Amino acid sequence: MSASRRIVVTGMGIISPCGKTVEENWENIIAGRPGIDRIKAFDPSDYSSQIGGEVKDFDPNDYIGKKDAKRMDRSSQLAVAASVETVQGVDTDKVNGDDFAVIIGSGIGGIRTFEKQHGRYIKGGPSRISPFFIPMMISDMASGLVSIRYGFKGPNYATVSACASGGHAIATSWMAIRSGYAKAAVTGGAEATISPMALGGFCSMKALSTRNDDPKRSSRPFDVDRDGFVMAEGAGIILLEELEHAKVRGAKIYAEMIGVGMTGDAYHITSPSPNGEGAIASMRMALKDAGLAPEDIDYINAHGTSTQYNDKAEAQAILSLFGKDSGVHVSSTKSSTGHLLGGAAGVEFIISTMALMNNVMPPTANLENVDDDCLLNHVLEAREKNLRYVMSNSFGFGGHNVSLVLKSFDN
Protein backbone atom coordinates (compact mmCIF):
# COMPACT_ATOMS: atom_id res chain seq x y z
CA MET A 1 0.00 0.00 0.00
CA SER A 2 1.41 3.39 -0.99
CA ALA A 3 0.82 5.92 1.77
CA SER A 4 2.28 8.62 -0.49
CA ARG A 5 -0.47 8.29 -3.08
CA ARG A 6 -2.87 11.16 -2.38
CA ILE A 7 -6.56 10.65 -3.17
CA VAL A 8 -8.98 13.47 -3.88
CA VAL A 9 -12.68 13.99 -4.50
CA THR A 10 -13.29 15.13 -8.09
CA GLY A 11 -16.97 14.37 -8.63
CA MET A 12 -20.19 14.30 -6.59
CA GLY A 13 -23.83 13.51 -7.28
CA ILE A 14 -26.86 13.27 -4.99
CA ILE A 15 -30.48 12.32 -5.48
CA SER A 16 -32.32 12.32 -2.16
CA PRO A 17 -35.52 13.54 -0.47
CA CYS A 18 -33.81 16.94 -0.18
CA GLY A 19 -33.16 17.37 -3.90
CA LYS A 20 -31.84 15.97 -7.15
CA THR A 21 -28.50 17.80 -7.29
CA VAL A 22 -25.68 18.39 -4.83
CA GLU A 23 -26.44 22.11 -4.63
CA GLU A 24 -30.16 21.60 -4.03
CA ASN A 25 -29.43 19.10 -1.29
CA TRP A 26 -26.85 21.38 0.30
CA GLU A 27 -29.19 24.36 0.32
CA ASN A 28 -32.04 22.43 1.93
CA ILE A 29 -29.85 20.64 4.47
CA ILE A 30 -28.04 23.75 5.72
CA ALA A 31 -31.42 25.48 5.97
CA GLY A 32 -32.74 22.58 8.05
CA ARG A 33 -35.57 21.83 5.60
CA PRO A 34 -36.38 18.10 5.88
CA GLY A 35 -37.56 16.25 2.80
CA ILE A 36 -39.77 13.90 4.82
CA ASP A 37 -43.52 13.52 4.29
CA ARG A 38 -46.32 10.97 4.32
CA ILE A 39 -45.47 8.07 2.03
CA LYS A 40 -47.03 8.37 -1.43
CA ALA A 41 -45.61 5.27 -3.20
CA PHE A 42 -48.43 3.20 -1.67
CA ASP A 43 -51.13 3.60 0.97
CA PRO A 44 -49.37 3.35 4.36
CA SER A 45 -52.53 3.59 6.46
CA ASP A 46 -52.15 0.09 7.93
CA TYR A 47 -48.61 0.74 9.16
CA SER A 48 -47.51 2.13 12.51
CA SER A 49 -45.07 4.40 10.63
CA GLN A 50 -46.60 6.15 7.63
CA ILE A 51 -43.81 8.60 6.80
CA GLY A 52 -40.66 8.46 4.73
CA GLY A 53 -38.09 10.37 2.76
CA GLU A 54 -39.13 9.79 -0.85
CA VAL A 55 -37.34 11.28 -3.85
CA LYS A 56 -39.83 13.70 -5.32
CA ASP A 57 -40.66 14.03 -9.03
CA PHE A 58 -38.03 11.50 -10.04
CA ASP A 59 -38.34 10.41 -13.67
CA PRO A 60 -35.64 7.88 -14.59
CA ASN A 61 -36.18 8.71 -18.25
CA ASP A 62 -34.51 12.07 -17.58
CA TYR A 63 -31.27 10.15 -17.05
CA ILE A 64 -31.70 6.73 -18.62
CA GLY A 65 -33.24 5.46 -21.86
CA LYS A 66 -36.86 4.38 -21.38
CA LYS A 67 -36.18 0.75 -22.38
CA ASP A 68 -33.17 0.44 -20.08
CA ALA A 69 -34.96 2.14 -17.17
CA LYS A 70 -37.74 -0.48 -17.30
CA ARG A 71 -35.12 -3.16 -16.74
CA MET A 72 -33.71 -1.55 -13.59
CA ASP A 73 -34.90 -1.59 -10.02
CA ARG A 74 -35.48 1.87 -8.59
CA SER A 75 -32.33 1.56 -6.48
CA SER A 76 -30.23 1.12 -9.63
CA GLN A 77 -32.08 3.93 -11.38
CA LEU A 78 -31.19 6.27 -8.53
CA ALA A 79 -27.55 5.17 -8.56
CA VAL A 80 -27.18 5.67 -12.31
CA ALA A 81 -29.00 9.02 -12.15
CA ALA A 82 -26.74 10.31 -9.37
CA SER A 83 -23.67 9.13 -11.31
CA VAL A 84 -24.63 11.45 -14.18
CA GLU A 85 -23.86 14.48 -11.99
CA THR A 86 -20.77 12.77 -10.57
CA VAL A 87 -19.13 11.90 -13.87
CA GLN A 88 -20.13 15.02 -15.82
CA GLY A 89 -16.60 16.42 -15.59
CA VAL A 90 -14.96 13.31 -17.09
CA ASP A 91 -14.34 13.10 -20.84
CA THR A 92 -14.85 9.36 -21.15
CA ASP A 93 -13.40 9.39 -24.68
CA LYS A 94 -10.07 10.64 -23.35
CA VAL A 95 -9.58 8.62 -20.16
CA ASN A 96 -8.56 4.97 -19.93
CA GLY A 97 -11.59 3.07 -18.69
CA ASP A 98 -9.33 0.36 -17.26
CA ASP A 99 -8.14 2.88 -14.66
CA PHE A 100 -11.65 3.49 -13.22
CA ALA A 101 -13.19 1.24 -10.58
CA VAL A 102 -16.91 1.25 -9.80
CA ILE A 103 -17.81 0.20 -6.24
CA ILE A 104 -21.33 1.06 -5.07
CA GLY A 105 -22.99 -0.23 -1.91
CA SER A 106 -26.61 -1.10 -1.16
CA GLY A 107 -28.04 -2.56 1.98
CA ILE A 108 -31.00 -4.37 0.42
CA GLY A 109 -30.75 -3.87 -3.34
CA GLY A 110 -33.84 -4.54 -5.46
CA ILE A 111 -36.43 -5.34 -2.82
CA ARG A 112 -39.15 -3.45 -4.72
CA THR A 113 -38.51 -5.68 -7.72
CA PHE A 114 -38.59 -8.77 -5.51
CA GLU A 115 -41.97 -7.79 -4.07
CA LYS A 116 -43.47 -7.08 -7.48
CA GLN A 117 -42.23 -10.30 -9.04
CA HIS A 118 -43.28 -12.37 -6.04
CA GLY A 119 -46.77 -10.94 -6.48
CA ARG A 120 -46.76 -12.05 -10.12
CA TYR A 121 -45.61 -15.52 -9.06
CA ILE A 122 -48.40 -15.85 -6.48
CA LYS A 123 -51.03 -14.81 -9.02
CA GLY A 124 -49.81 -16.67 -12.09
CA GLY A 125 -47.09 -19.14 -11.18
CA PRO A 126 -43.40 -19.25 -12.18
CA SER A 127 -44.07 -18.52 -15.85
CA ARG A 128 -45.16 -14.99 -14.86
CA ILE A 129 -41.74 -14.11 -13.39
CA SER A 130 -39.84 -11.62 -15.53
CA PRO A 131 -36.59 -12.80 -17.15
CA PHE A 132 -35.10 -9.57 -15.80
CA PHE A 133 -36.07 -10.39 -12.20
CA ILE A 134 -32.63 -11.59 -11.08
CA PRO A 135 -30.48 -8.86 -12.69
CA MET A 136 -32.92 -6.21 -11.50
CA MET A 137 -32.90 -7.50 -7.92
CA ILE A 138 -29.26 -8.22 -7.09
CA SER A 139 -27.37 -5.60 -5.13
CA ASP A 140 -24.31 -5.44 -7.40
CA MET A 141 -26.27 -4.32 -10.44
CA ALA A 142 -25.91 -0.59 -9.71
CA SER A 143 -22.13 -0.82 -9.97
CA GLY A 144 -22.43 -2.98 -13.09
CA LEU A 145 -24.79 -0.56 -14.81
CA VAL A 146 -22.63 2.49 -14.04
CA SER A 147 -19.54 0.74 -15.39
CA ILE A 148 -21.38 -0.25 -18.57
CA ARG A 149 -22.67 3.27 -19.09
CA TYR A 150 -19.21 4.85 -18.91
CA GLY A 151 -16.96 2.02 -20.04
CA PHE A 152 -15.15 1.83 -16.70
CA LYS A 153 -13.42 -1.56 -16.55
CA GLY A 154 -11.48 -1.46 -13.28
CA PRO A 155 -12.51 -3.33 -10.09
CA ASN A 156 -16.29 -3.56 -10.07
CA TYR A 157 -18.49 -4.83 -7.24
CA ALA A 158 -20.97 -3.97 -4.50
CA THR A 159 -20.54 -3.73 -0.75
CA VAL A 160 -23.39 -4.96 1.45
CA SER A 161 -23.20 -4.10 5.15
CA ALA A 162 -26.64 -2.67 5.96
CA CYS A 163 -26.45 1.05 6.74
CA ALA A 164 -22.66 1.03 6.44
CA SER A 165 -22.75 -0.25 2.84
CA GLY A 166 -21.97 3.08 1.20
CA GLY A 167 -19.23 3.77 3.72
CA HIS A 168 -17.56 0.46 2.99
CA ALA A 169 -17.80 1.18 -0.74
CA ILE A 170 -16.02 4.51 -0.30
CA ALA A 171 -13.43 3.01 2.05
CA THR A 172 -12.57 0.11 -0.25
CA SER A 173 -12.47 2.41 -3.27
CA TRP A 174 -9.92 4.59 -1.47
CA MET A 175 -7.91 1.51 -0.59
CA ALA A 176 -8.02 0.24 -4.18
CA ILE A 177 -6.62 3.53 -5.48
CA ARG A 178 -4.05 3.78 -2.72
CA SER A 179 -2.76 0.28 -3.42
CA GLY A 180 -2.65 0.78 -7.19
CA TYR A 181 -5.58 -1.37 -8.33
CA ALA A 182 -7.22 1.72 -9.86
CA LYS A 183 -6.48 5.39 -10.48
CA ALA A 184 -10.06 6.52 -9.92
CA ALA A 185 -13.30 5.08 -8.55
CA VAL A 186 -16.98 5.89 -8.86
CA THR A 187 -18.31 4.96 -5.45
CA GLY A 188 -20.95 5.56 -2.80
CA GLY A 189 -24.33 3.98 -2.14
CA ALA A 190 -27.92 3.74 -3.31
CA GLU A 191 -31.15 2.46 -1.79
CA ALA A 192 -34.87 2.31 -2.62
CA THR A 193 -36.58 0.42 0.17
CA ILE A 194 -39.79 2.39 0.66
CA SER A 195 -41.96 -0.61 -0.13
CA PRO A 196 -44.74 -2.46 1.70
CA MET A 197 -42.51 -5.32 2.90
CA ALA A 198 -39.52 -3.22 3.92
CA LEU A 199 -41.67 -0.70 5.76
CA GLY A 200 -43.58 -3.51 7.44
CA GLY A 201 -40.38 -5.22 8.52
CA PHE A 202 -38.95 -2.13 10.15
CA CYS A 203 -42.32 -1.35 11.74
CA SER A 204 -42.37 -4.85 13.27
CA MET A 205 -38.94 -4.13 14.76
CA LYS A 206 -40.36 -0.90 16.22
CA ALA A 207 -37.37 0.88 14.68
CA LEU A 208 -39.26 3.66 12.90
CA SER A 209 -40.66 6.98 14.04
CA THR A 210 -44.43 7.04 14.41
CA ARG A 211 -44.68 10.82 14.44
CA ASN A 212 -47.11 10.51 11.55
CA ASP A 213 -48.91 13.79 12.25
CA ASP A 214 -45.69 15.81 12.00
CA PRO A 215 -43.41 14.28 9.32
CA LYS A 216 -41.03 17.22 8.96
CA ARG A 217 -40.10 16.99 12.65
CA SER A 218 -40.07 13.20 12.89
CA SER A 219 -36.33 12.63 12.44
CA ARG A 220 -34.68 14.20 15.49
CA PRO A 221 -31.28 12.68 16.24
CA PHE A 222 -29.94 13.12 19.79
CA ASP A 223 -33.24 14.66 20.96
CA VAL A 224 -34.78 13.30 24.14
CA ASP A 225 -38.09 12.85 22.27
CA ARG A 226 -36.67 10.85 19.33
CA ASP A 227 -38.76 7.77 18.63
CA GLY A 228 -37.06 6.00 15.74
CA PHE A 229 -35.54 6.59 12.34
CA VAL A 230 -37.34 7.65 9.17
CA MET A 231 -36.73 5.39 6.18
CA ALA A 232 -35.62 7.22 3.05
CA GLU A 233 -34.39 6.50 -0.46
CA GLY A 234 -31.79 7.97 -2.79
CA ALA A 235 -28.16 7.80 -3.85
CA GLY A 236 -24.91 9.57 -3.11
CA ILE A 237 -22.19 8.87 -5.68
CA ILE A 238 -18.61 10.17 -5.51
CA LEU A 239 -15.61 10.15 -7.83
CA LEU A 240 -12.38 9.50 -5.94
CA GLU A 241 -9.17 9.96 -7.87
CA GLU A 242 -5.44 9.71 -7.44
CA LEU A 243 -4.17 13.30 -7.27
CA GLU A 244 -1.70 13.20 -10.14
CA HIS A 245 -4.25 11.49 -12.39
CA ALA A 246 -6.75 14.21 -11.55
CA LYS A 247 -4.25 16.96 -12.27
CA VAL A 248 -3.32 15.51 -15.66
CA ARG A 249 -6.90 15.63 -16.85
CA GLY A 250 -7.51 19.05 -15.30
CA ALA A 251 -10.17 17.88 -12.87
CA LYS A 252 -11.80 20.16 -10.33
CA ILE A 253 -10.73 19.04 -6.85
CA TYR A 254 -13.22 19.40 -4.00
CA ALA A 255 -11.42 17.81 -1.04
CA GLU A 256 -8.86 15.19 -0.09
CA MET A 257 -9.66 11.86 1.57
CA ILE A 258 -6.96 10.88 4.04
CA GLY A 259 -8.16 8.15 6.40
CA VAL A 260 -10.41 5.12 6.87
CA GLY A 261 -11.49 3.12 9.90
CA MET A 262 -13.48 -0.13 9.69
CA THR A 263 -14.40 -2.35 12.65
CA GLY A 264 -16.97 -4.86 13.84
CA ASP A 265 -18.85 -4.84 17.15
CA ALA A 266 -19.09 -8.64 17.51
CA TYR A 267 -21.96 -7.95 19.88
CA HIS A 268 -25.56 -8.01 18.56
CA ILE A 269 -27.45 -8.18 15.27
CA THR A 270 -29.11 -4.78 15.69
CA SER A 271 -27.89 -3.03 18.86
CA PRO A 272 -24.52 -1.25 18.97
CA SER A 273 -21.86 -2.51 21.36
CA PRO A 274 -21.99 -1.07 24.89
CA ASN A 275 -20.65 2.47 25.22
CA GLY A 276 -20.01 2.56 21.47
CA GLU A 277 -16.85 0.47 21.68
CA GLY A 278 -16.95 -0.47 17.99
CA ALA A 279 -17.49 3.13 16.96
CA ILE A 280 -14.60 4.26 19.15
CA ALA A 281 -12.32 1.71 17.50
CA SER A 282 -13.46 2.74 14.02
CA MET A 283 -12.90 6.44 14.64
CA ARG A 284 -9.55 5.80 16.32
CA MET A 285 -8.42 3.70 13.36
CA ALA A 286 -9.43 6.42 10.90
CA LEU A 287 -7.50 9.03 12.88
CA LYS A 288 -4.42 6.82 12.97
CA ASP A 289 -4.68 6.17 9.25
CA ALA A 290 -4.90 9.92 8.61
CA GLY A 291 -2.04 10.72 10.98
CA LEU A 292 -4.27 12.91 13.12
CA ALA A 293 -5.06 13.35 16.80
CA PRO A 294 -8.66 13.68 18.02
CA GLU A 295 -8.21 17.42 18.57
CA ASP A 296 -7.49 17.88 14.86
CA ILE A 297 -11.04 17.03 13.80
CA ASP A 298 -13.22 20.11 13.44
CA TYR A 299 -16.57 18.52 12.57
CA ILE A 300 -18.21 15.08 12.61
CA ASN A 301 -21.15 14.18 10.41
CA ALA A 302 -22.61 11.60 12.76
CA HIS A 303 -24.45 8.43 11.84
CA GLY A 304 -27.16 9.83 14.14
CA THR A 305 -30.21 7.81 13.14
CA SER A 306 -32.73 9.21 15.68
CA THR A 307 -33.01 5.86 17.47
CA GLN A 308 -32.54 5.51 21.21
CA TYR A 309 -29.64 3.06 21.28
CA ASN A 310 -27.67 4.27 18.25
CA ASP A 311 -27.62 7.93 19.16
CA LYS A 312 -26.64 7.22 22.77
CA ALA A 313 -23.86 4.79 21.79
CA GLU A 314 -22.43 7.12 19.14
CA ALA A 315 -22.55 10.11 21.47
CA GLN A 316 -20.78 8.13 24.19
CA ALA A 317 -18.17 7.01 21.67
CA ILE A 318 -17.48 10.57 20.56
CA LEU A 319 -17.27 11.80 24.14
CA SER A 320 -14.94 8.96 25.08
CA LEU A 321 -12.54 9.49 22.18
CA PHE A 322 -12.66 13.27 21.76
CA GLY A 323 -13.34 14.32 25.36
CA LYS A 324 -16.10 16.33 27.01
CA ASP A 325 -14.31 19.63 26.42
CA SER A 326 -13.45 18.93 22.79
CA GLY A 327 -14.01 21.65 20.22
CA VAL A 328 -15.33 19.16 17.67
CA HIS A 329 -18.81 20.03 16.42
CA VAL A 330 -21.34 17.30 15.61
CA SER A 331 -24.50 17.09 13.55
CA SER A 332 -26.65 14.45 11.88
CA THR A 333 -28.03 15.40 8.48
CA LYS A 334 -30.39 12.41 8.62
CA SER A 335 -32.61 14.89 10.44
CA SER A 336 -33.25 16.41 6.99
CA THR A 337 -32.84 13.51 4.58
CA GLY A 338 -34.16 10.68 6.68
CA HIS A 339 -32.11 7.48 6.73
CA LEU A 340 -31.12 6.26 3.27
CA LEU A 341 -29.79 2.98 4.72
CA GLY A 342 -27.10 1.77 2.29
CA GLY A 343 -27.27 5.10 0.46
CA ALA A 344 -26.75 7.22 3.57
CA ALA A 345 -22.95 7.24 3.72
CA GLY A 346 -22.55 8.47 0.15
CA VAL A 347 -24.86 11.42 0.71
CA GLU A 348 -23.25 12.27 4.06
CA PHE A 349 -19.71 12.02 2.62
CA ILE A 350 -20.72 14.57 -0.02
CA ILE A 351 -22.33 16.87 2.56
CA SER A 352 -19.13 16.62 4.62
CA THR A 353 -17.17 17.62 1.51
CA MET A 354 -19.49 20.56 0.93
CA ALA A 355 -18.99 21.61 4.56
CA LEU A 356 -15.22 21.68 4.00
CA MET A 357 -15.54 23.63 0.77
CA ASN A 358 -17.90 26.22 2.22
CA ASN A 359 -16.57 26.33 5.80
CA VAL A 360 -20.14 25.80 6.96
CA MET A 361 -21.33 23.03 9.29
CA PRO A 362 -24.87 21.76 8.55
CA PRO A 363 -27.33 21.55 11.44
CA THR A 364 -29.20 18.74 13.10
CA ALA A 365 -32.76 19.79 12.31
CA ASN A 366 -35.43 19.28 14.99
CA LEU A 367 -32.92 18.99 17.84
CA GLU A 368 -34.83 20.92 20.49
CA ASN A 369 -34.14 19.09 23.76
CA VAL A 370 -30.78 17.35 23.83
CA ASP A 371 -30.81 13.99 25.58
CA ASP A 372 -28.63 14.00 28.70
CA ASP A 373 -26.89 10.92 27.29
CA CYS A 374 -25.98 12.81 24.11
CA LEU A 375 -24.38 16.02 25.40
CA LEU A 376 -22.17 16.81 22.43
CA ASN A 377 -21.18 20.10 20.83
CA HIS A 378 -24.23 20.03 18.55
CA VAL A 379 -24.73 22.23 15.50
CA LEU A 380 -28.30 23.50 15.88
CA GLU A 381 -28.23 25.97 12.99
CA ALA A 382 -25.88 26.18 10.01
CA ARG A 383 -22.68 27.60 11.43
CA GLU A 384 -19.58 29.03 9.83
CA LYS A 385 -16.26 27.62 10.96
CA ASN A 386 -12.83 27.36 9.41
CA LEU A 387 -12.80 23.64 8.68
CA ARG A 388 -9.62 21.72 8.05
CA TYR A 389 -10.51 18.11 8.91
CA VAL A 390 -13.92 16.42 9.08
CA MET A 391 -15.10 12.88 9.80
CA SER A 392 -18.17 11.01 8.58
CA ASN A 393 -19.48 7.98 10.50
CA SER A 394 -21.65 5.12 9.24
CA PHE A 395 -22.79 2.12 11.28
CA GLY A 396 -24.97 -0.84 10.32
CA PHE A 397 -27.01 -3.77 11.66
CA GLY A 398 -24.66 -6.65 12.26
CA GLY A 399 -22.15 -4.44 14.03
CA HIS A 400 -20.51 -2.82 11.01
CA ASN A 401 -18.65 0.46 11.61
CA VAL A 402 -16.99 2.80 9.11
CA SER A 403 -15.35 6.18 9.73
CA LEU A 404 -14.01 8.32 6.89
CA VAL A 405 -11.73 11.37 7.22
CA LEU A 406 -11.57 14.26 4.76
CA LYS A 407 -9.40 17.36 4.68
CA SER A 408 -9.66 20.63 2.81
CA PHE A 409 -7.57 20.41 -0.33
CA ASP A 410 -4.37 22.37 -0.74
CA ASN A 411 -1.72 21.88 -3.37
Side-chain angles (χ1 to χ4, degrees):
M1 183 178 289
S2 174
S4 63
R5 186 173 281 127
R6 296 173 66 188
I7 299 161
V8 293
V9 180
T10 56
M12 303 184 291
I14 300 179
I15 294 182
S16 91
C18 286
K20 290 181 286 186
T21 66
V22 170
E23 283 296 334
E24 187 180 3
N25 273 273
W26 175 247
E27 290 173 6
N28 283 321
I29 288 170
I30 62 170
R33 287 193 292 264
I36 297 164
D37 211 331
R38 183 177 174 83
I39 290 171
K40 296 181 173 61
F42 57 91
D43 183 2
S45 299
D46 292 337
Y47 296 80
S48 57
S49 179
Q50 301 165 13
I51 52 181
E54 294 175 294
V55 175
K56 301 163 189 66
D57 303 318
F58 175 68
D59 184 350
N61 299 320
D62 292 340
Y63 309 88
I64 309 161
K66 190 172 183 180
K67 182 178 178 180
D68 289 336
K70 282 185 175 181
R71 296 174 177 178
M72 296 182 192
D73 183 80
R74 185 174 173 91
S75 60
S76 293
Q77 292 174 348
L78 292 165
V80 173
S83 77
V84 172
E85 185 179 14
T86 306
V87 183
Q88 63 184 348
V90 179
D91 187 339
T92 54
D93 292 329
K94 293 183 178 180
V95 299
N96 184 350
D98 294 345
D99 293 334
F100 284 71
V102 183
I103 305 170
I104 297 172
S106 183
I108 304 179
I111 191 168
R112 288 170 62 138
T113 292
F114 192 102
E115 287 184 38
K116 181 178 179 180
Q117 293 301 318
H118 185 257
R120 293 179 65 171
Y121 165 74
I122 292 298
K123 289 180 180 179
S127 65
R128 297 294 298 158
I129 299 172
S130 167
F132 297 101
F133 167 49
I134 297 299
M136 287 175 70
M137 177 195 69
I138 52 181
S139 296
D140 67 298
M141 196 49 61
S143 58
L145 289 165
V146 171
S147 74
I148 291 167
R149 182 183 181 107
Y150 297 108
F152 294 159
K153 299 179 181 179
N156 184 283
Y157 56 91
T159 51
V160 181
S161 51
C163 304
S165 298
H168 277 118
I170 297 167
T172 55
S173 293
W174 182 80
M175 294 168 72
I177 298 169
R178 201 176 185 206
S179 57
Y181 286 95
K183 293 181 180 177
V186 178
T187 185
E191 204 81 88
T193 58
I194 299 180
S195 71
M197 280 294 293
L199 182 68
F202 281 117
C203 284
S204 292
M205 292 177 68
K206 301 189 184 304
L208 300 179
S209 171
T210 57
R211 197 182 288 263
N212 298 318
D213 58 344
D214 195 7
K216 301 295 182 190
R217 298 174 65 244
S218 57
S219 182
R220 43 199 319 113
F222 306 113
D223 193 280
V224 69
D225 294 320
R226 65 192 185 278
D227 70 330
F229 77 85
V230 177
M231 189 159 56
E233 63 177 0
I237 306 295
I238 301 104
L239 179 59
L240 294 179
E241 194 165 356
E242 194 272 325
L243 176 59
E244 295 308 314
H245 187 269
K247 285 182 174 180
V248 166
R249 69 177 191 85
K252 181 176 180 180
I253 296 173
Y254 299 103
E256 183 172 359
M257 184 174 170
I258 60 171
V260 164
M262 295 184 285
T263 65
D265 286 350
Y267 174 69
H268 190 270
I269 58 172
T270 57
S271 295
S273 54
N275 304 312
E277 292 170 1
I280 293 170
S282 177
M283 291 187 288
R284 182 180 288 123
M285 184 184 295
L287 290 171
K288 182 179 179 181
D289 205 20
L292 301 177
E295 56 267 26
D296 293 321
I297 299 295
D298 300 303
Y299 165 70
I300 298 172
N301 190 297
H303 185 58
T305 58
S306 188
T307 58
Q308 289 293 329
Y309 290 123
N310 175 269
D311 290 3
K312 178 180 177 180
E314 185 173 15
Q316 290 177 336
I318 292 170
L319 288 169
S320 176
L321 182 59
F322 292 87
K324 290 190 294 184
D325 299 321
S326 167
V328 66
H329 286 79
V330 179
S331 69
S332 170
T333 49
K334 288 183 179 72
S335 57
S336 291
T337 63
H339 190 355
L340 277 69
L341 307 180
V347 171
E348 289 156 17
F349 182 94
I350 293 171
I351 295 303
S352 298
T353 300
M354 292 294 286
L356 273 174
M357 292 170 60
N358 293 281
N359 286 309
V360 173
M361 299 178 294
T364 301
N366 306 318
L367 180 49
E368 298 166 355
N369 299 295
V370 178
D371 190 326
D372 287 344
D373 290 324
C374 304
L375 295 176
L376 303 169
N377 195 4
H378 294 286
V379 183
L380 302 180
E381 294 182 352
R383 180 170 175 178
E384 292 185 3
K385 183 180 180 181
N386 184 27
L387 299 176
R388 178 71 172 163
Y389 301 104
V390 304
M391 177 181 286
S392 182
N393 284 334
S394 299
F395 311 132
F397 283 175
H400 313 297
N401 309 300
V402 183
S403 298
L404 309 172
V405 178
L406 286 155
K407 72 181 287 287
S408 58
F409 177 71
D410 54 47
N411 295 319

